[in-house]
Amino acid sequence: EVQLQAFGGGLVQTGGSLRLSCAASGLTFDDYAIGWLRQVPGKEREVVSCISRSDNTKYYADSVKGRFTISDDNAKNQVYLQMNNLKPDDTAVYYCAAADGYSGLVLNQYDYWGQGTQVTVSS
């Protein structure tokens, strides 16, 4: 059974930093793209960043390039999202998810989801 657990959200001031962690079990990292997605009320969930070990690629949405960094620890089966210089527009529920055999660039590629973790950036 594939399970994903996201944690590390919280309340931070504009310009601050947070690191999100996603603990994965029941899957082999090499077979999946692991992504971080976020959603605010009334808007569609969007892919913020994803990492694919199979083709050694990382993706960042334009809105977070230069501020967010995705990384993984294969030994621990964890994926991290380091978020720096946070802005109020980054406020959202963040989810980690796994896409089996896809790049992870498209929302409907994701097969497994963790619970969300709230990130709130105050102005």
Side-chain angles (χ1 to χ4, degrees):
E1 180 186 6
V2 176
Q3 290 188 333
L4 300 165
Q5 185 177 10
F7 50 95
L11 173 63
V12 65
Q13 291 184 333
T14 296
S17 298
L18 284 173
R19 189 174 88 148
L20 305 183
S21 301
C22 176
S25 61
L27 58 81
T28 302
F29 265 16
D30 286 353
D31 297 333
Y32 289 82
I34 305 296
W36 286 99
L37 301 91
R38 66 186 181 188
Q39 188 169 26
V40 298
K43 292 188 177 181
E44 188 178 65
R45 203 169 289 188
E46 63 170 344
V47 179
V48 174
S49 181
C50 62
I51 184 168
S52 172
R53 179 177 292 275
S54 63
D55 56 8
N56 197 29
T57 58
K58 297 179 181 180
Y59 163 83
Y60 298 95
D62 287 343
S63 58
V64 306
K65 280 181 182 175
R67 300 189 296 122
F68 290 12
T69 302
I70 193 169
S71 61
D72 65 2
D73 185 331
N74 195 40
K76 294 182 179 179
N77 252 25
Q78 293 201 8
V79 175
Y80 309 100
L81 186 68
Q82 178 66 43
M83 306 186 294
N84 297 330
N85 192 21
L86 283 160
K87 304 175 180 180
D89 283 349
D90 296 318
T91 296
V93 177
Y94 284 71
Y95 300 86
C96 67
D100 184 2
Y102 293 100
S103 63
L105 299 181
V106 179
L107 178 61
N108 64 11
Q109 292 176 340
Y110 287 93
D111 304 293
Y112 303 101
W113 294 83
Q115 87 292 357
T117 184
Q118 176 70 45
V119 171
T120 303
V121 185
S122 63
S123 57

